[in-house]
Amino acid sequence: MTQRPLILATNDDGIEAPGLWHLAEAVSHFADVIIVAPAFNQSAMSAAVTLRRDLESERAYSRLPGVDAWQVNGTPTDAVVHGLRHFAPRHVDMVVSGVNPGPNVGREILHSGTVMAAMQGYLRGLPSVAASLSSFDDDHLLDAAIVAGRIAERLLASGQHHLLNVNVPDLDISEYQGVRVAAMADMAVSRVVDITGEHGSTRRKLEFLPDVDVVPDTDVAAIMDGAVAVTPLHNDFTLYSALSDTSTLIGDRDSLTTERADARADSDVN
Ligand code: MN
């Protein structure tokens, strides 16, 4: 008998978040699952790594029979890396992250703990899926988990090692306006709002913009139209079209890296 694939499920909202358990259950229909997730909400932590304190982890209560769960007192990236190294009982075949309440589309992806947790799988050569719901309500988390689970199953069956960012509209699954493979919109969908406290302190929160000029044929356009958005992502930030320009503006490289002694002698930093 061939062994079932093993999927590591995580999120950025913490081990208690219902979206994580819905997603883990959805993928458990075709794979064995282990859950390794942050102990507390780590939304908007992107790919942060905990370096200057101990990373503690412990077994967590599992809401799914046959699924082992651990919580890590760190970031989503910590949870995936630690989970792959220390908690996986055998080779992990896929990483899934979510379901996040709130969309991870457009430039929101840069902040996203949900997406960057899946990125950790991708960077290690594993097919990975990040799943988010376009609403902060919990009503359609189960629907989102079901469709994300089906997409994960197809990705795994394909043998491709892609990172798929899945965003699901806030609708019943029967009401989705199709599934669109679409590019990440190069646009902001939220802004950081400062809330000043009594003593002059500032608390920040992310607020989604009510009116945005939607870039057509993108992830944002898809979910605004009620469709599921599926976007393959990668990790290379290089602007290839600017390599040549940059080479020209840098000019003579040798003079950038000579005469260190003179520069040090003139320095006022002490
Ligand atoms: Mn979150």
Side-chain angles (χ1 to χ4, degrees), residues 11 42 66 142 147 157 175 190 208 243 255:
N11 72 350
Q42 297 287 310
L142 177 58
V147 71
E175 295 169 337
S190 71
F208 280 83
L243 281 174
S255 63

Side-chain angles (χ1 to χ4, degrees), residues 67-176:
V67 172
D68 287 330
W70 287 267
Q71 60 183 48
V72 176
N73 76 332
T75 65
T77 286
D78 290 330
V80 173
V81 175
H82 205 69
L84 291 173
R85 282 188 191 157
H86 299 292
F87 299 136
R90 60 180 197 269
H91 173 76
V92 170
D93 299 288
M94 170 176 262
V95 172
V96 297
S97 176
V99 175
N100 188 69
N104 280 305
V105 290
R107 293 183 197 156
E108 208 58 32
I109 289 168
L110 298 174
H111 300 291
S112 174
T114 306
V115 175
M116 291 306 155
M119 178 70 81
Q120 297 312 313
Y122 174 72
L123 293 174
R124 286 159 181 78
L126 305 177
S128 300
V129 173
S132 305
L133 176 65
S134 71
S135 160
F136 294 96
D137 293 338
D138 286 356
D139 296 357
H140 292 114
L141 277 176
L142 177 58
D143 303 68
I146 290 167
V147 71
R150 289 175 183 161
I151 289 167
E153 185 173 15
R154 290 194 187 177
L155 172 61
L156 190 59
S158 76
Q160 300 287 340
H161 294 192
H162 294 325
L163 164 57
L164 299 184
N165 186 34
V166 176
N167 279 275
V168 182
D170 186 30
L171 297 168
D172 285 354
I173 203 163
S174 60
E175 295 169 337
Y176 295 162

